[in-house]
Amino acid sequence: MRRGKRKTLTCDWSRLYLGTGLFFLIGFLFFGFSSLFFAEEQPINATPVGEEKRLKNGQTVTLLNWSHDEERKQMRVRLQFDQPQDYATKLVTRVAYKERPTDEQSVRVVYHQNEHYVFEIENVPRDFGQLALRLYVIKPQQSLEKLSATKREEALIESLYMDQRRVLRTSLSIQQADDYAQLFLADEHVKSQKRIKKMKREQLAQTSLVQQIEQDIETKQATLHDLTLDEQVEREEEIFNLKQDKEDALLRQTELKKQLTQEEKRQDQLRIKGRELKW
């Protein structure tokens, strides 16, 4: 091969190596500094709807609905506690945005009946990002704004969160007390139906369990005479334990039947209340 040709091939390989090196260098620089040009997406932070949440004071609360009317710049939040608030305390709520966590704003209570609450948050921007609904429990004569930072922290029993990517976007109409009562009744009816379905499934499972235990007892008793004395003693113990399991299953069936009857009566009461509110 002539010297000129070898020189050309050497230059070509050098260009290839140089180009490859520049490619990897540019790629490294691009991905290394991409965070300067592209904003990182924040993880979603939203309290699950329909799930019970344990509070610091021992109670539980369920977030039933959190909706946002972008045109009216208003939010509506429905909560249900497991029991009414203690008469010796009062529930105070404030809202704070993630960008301004120390800047709390007042929240309006539009409905309160026993353990049921409906709150409205005003002047909510269309792109609110993330916000927290803070639940405080204080004495009736106390003012949240006059509490020290330590006492205020002690009074905070929970913060419920909402992300604009999870909120229910809807048009919020003006509602009366009976309208809110109907909503809570509907929620209770749905939960009651779920409890009934769950109990009926467990009833079927317990019935199947009793049948299986009876078959096991029958099988073990049929072969009892073929065993040695020591094996018979062991087998008798197994049969005794199976009979105890059967008794436990039958007892559970009785409890489920009572609970199912009570829950069906509760459903009837909910239907009556619903009809009364419509009159």
Side-chain angles (χ1 to χ4, degrees):
M1 183 181 292
R2 288 179 297 176
R3 182 179 300 176
K5 193 170 184 180
R6 286 199 301 269
K7 185 176 181 181
T8 302
L9 288 173
T10 302
C11 290
D12 290 342
W13 280 107
S14 298
R15 293 192 188 98
L16 178 62
Y17 291 143
L18 180 61
T20 303
L22 287 173
F23 174 79
F24 283 109
L25 178 61
I26 293 171
F28 173 78
L29 292 174
F30 175 80
F31 289 107
F33 291 96
S34 60
S35 60
L36 298 177
F37 305 100
F38 302 102
E40 294 183 3
E41 187 175 5
Q42 291 183 348
I44 291 175
N45 186 14
T47 300
V49 175
E51 295 183 11
E52 286 190 349
K53 192 174 182 65
R54 178 69 61 179
L55 304 177
K56 194 170 70 175
N57 64 351
Q59 278 190 278
T60 61
V61 67
T62 303
L63 171 61
L64 298 175
N65 179 271
W66 196 321
S67 49
H68 182 203
D69 189 329
E70 295 179 346
E71 297 300 322
R72 296 176 62 187
K73 296 182 178 180
Q74 186 181 78
M75 278 187 172
R76 190 171 292 164
V77 186
R78 288 198 299 120
L79 301 181
Q80 179 175 341
F81 293 84
D82 62 339
Q83 59 188 17
Q85 293 297 310
D86 184 359
Y87 72 93
T89 63
K90 64 178 179 179
L91 180 69
V92 179
T93 54
R94 294 290 184 269
V95 66
Y97 294 88
K98 185 174 182 179
E99 293 78 9
R100 306 181 303 277
T102 59
D103 182 17
E104 292 187 340
Q105 301 176 21
S106 297
V107 176
R108 191 160 62 100
V109 181
V110 295
Y111 178 81
H112 171 217
Q113 185 66 34
N114 297 324
E115 67 271 24
H116 299 139
Y117 285 84
V118 180
F119 303 103
E120 281 188 357
I121 306 170
E122 303 291 344
N123 301 317
V124 181
R126 182 181 297 268
D127 297 323
F128 64 88
Q130 295 176 353
L131 57 78
L133 180 68
R134 295 171 180 167
L135 309 179
Y136 296 92
V137 172
I138 60 177
K139 295 179 180 179
Q141 66 272 19
Q142 289 180 323
S143 170
L144 184 64
E145 282 67 32
K146 293 181 180 180
L147 293 180
S148 65
T150 302
K151 292 293 184 182
R152 192 184 183 97
E153 184 66 26
E154 292 175 354
L156 179 64
I157 59 172
E158 188 56 74
S159 293
L160 305 178
Y161 300 96
M162 183 47 65
D163 190 299
Q164 70 178 30
R165 291 163 291 181
R166 286 287 185 269
V167 72
L168 175 63
R169 293 178 176 84
T170 186
S171 177
L172 297 175
S173 59
I174 298 175
Q175 293 182 310
Q176 305 299 321
D178 286 351
D179 298 325
Y180 293 121
Q182 283 281 10
L183 290 174
F184 283 111
L185 279 175
D187 291 326
E188 284 294 319
H189 184 73
V190 170
K191 287 191 290 186
S192 179
Q193 285 181 320
K194 289 181 179 179
R195 287 193 292 267
I196 288 175
K197 289 181 180 179
K198 184 179 179 180
M199 283 186 281
K200 287 183 176 180
R201 286 196 302 267
E202 189 177 351
Q203 275 186 326
L204 291 174
Q206 292 295 329
T207 300
S208 178
L209 177 61
V210 169
Q211 292 173 350
Q212 183 61 52
I213 292 173
E214 288 175 343
Q215 290 177 4
D216 292 343
I217 292 174
E218 186 178 344
T219 300
K220 291 181 181 297
Q221 286 177 335
T223 57
L224 190 61
H225 63 277
D226 297 328
L227 304 176
T228 65
L229 184 59
D230 290 339
E231 290 174 337
Q232 286 180 1
V233 172
E234 185 177 346
R235 181 60 57 85
E236 288 285 1
E237 185 176 354
E238 292 175 357
I239 293 172
F240 175 80
N241 291 333
L242 285 171
K243 289 180 178 180
Q244 287 295 112
D245 293 340
K246 179 183 175 180
E247 289 298 322
D248 291 341
L250 290 173
L251 180 61
R252 180 56 183 162
Q253 280 185 324
T254 303
E255 292 174 354
L256 284 169
K257 187 177 180 179
K258 291 180 180 179
Q259 292 175 6
L260 187 59
T261 300
Q262 292 173 352
E263 198 62 46
E264 288 172 343
K265 288 181 179 178
R266 176 177 171 78
Q267 282 230 322
D268 292 337
Q269 293 171 353
L270 291 172
R271 294 190 189 96
I272 292 172
K273 286 182 180 179
R275 287 195 295 267
E276 290 175 348
L277 287 171
K278 290 179 181 179
W279 287 351

